[in-house]
Amino acid sequence: PVVPKQPLSAVAYCYVNAPVSGKANDLSKLEAVLKRSGVVWAKPLVKPGTEVVGPEKGLPTWLCDLFVTRPTAKEALDFLHALEAEDLVPVSI
């Protein structure tokens, strides 16, 4: 196959951990993020009302699975970090 001289796009992927222990709340933010350009998937790994563990009590629960794409690796990683910071699966204490 023909290989491009520059990558056509870059991706970033991660499982988002629970920041604290408590209950996972509604998933509407996670569902809404799917409509954004560059978001390939945003899959929930918990259901609303699920008890989750944060790092203060042990190995954190994975809340969701994110996969994004951008023109460069740095842009993809920055976009992924920005999404993580939006608290897509809120946890109430």
Side-chain angles (χ1 to χ4, degrees):
V2 177
V3 178
K5 293 181 185 202
Q6 294 288 327
L8 300 177
S9 66
V11 301
Y13 173 86
C14 78
Y15 289 104
V16 177
N17 293 321
V20 294
S21 296
K23 281 193 179 187
N25 292 320
D26 94 270
L27 302 175
S28 60
K29 285 183 177 180
L30 190 62
E31 293 163 2
V33 84
L34 280 170
K35 297 175 183 168
R36 293 193 198 173
S37 174
V39 176
V40 178
W41 71 59
K43 300 176 184 178
L45 299 174
V46 295
K47 294 180 181 176
T50 301
E51 288 286 335
V52 298
V53 175
E56 78 283 0
K57 289 190 178 177
L59 185 64
T61 304
W62 289 338
L63 300 176
C64 62
D65 178 9
L66 297 176
F67 183 52
V68 300
T69 184
R70 284 288 193 248
T72 69
K74 172 124 176 63
E75 289 173 312
L77 188 58
D78 289 347
F79 183 45
L80 183 68
H81 286 162
L83 290 178
E84 283 183 281
E86 289 183 28
D87 195 22
L88 297 175
V89 180
V91 175
S92 59
I93 299 172

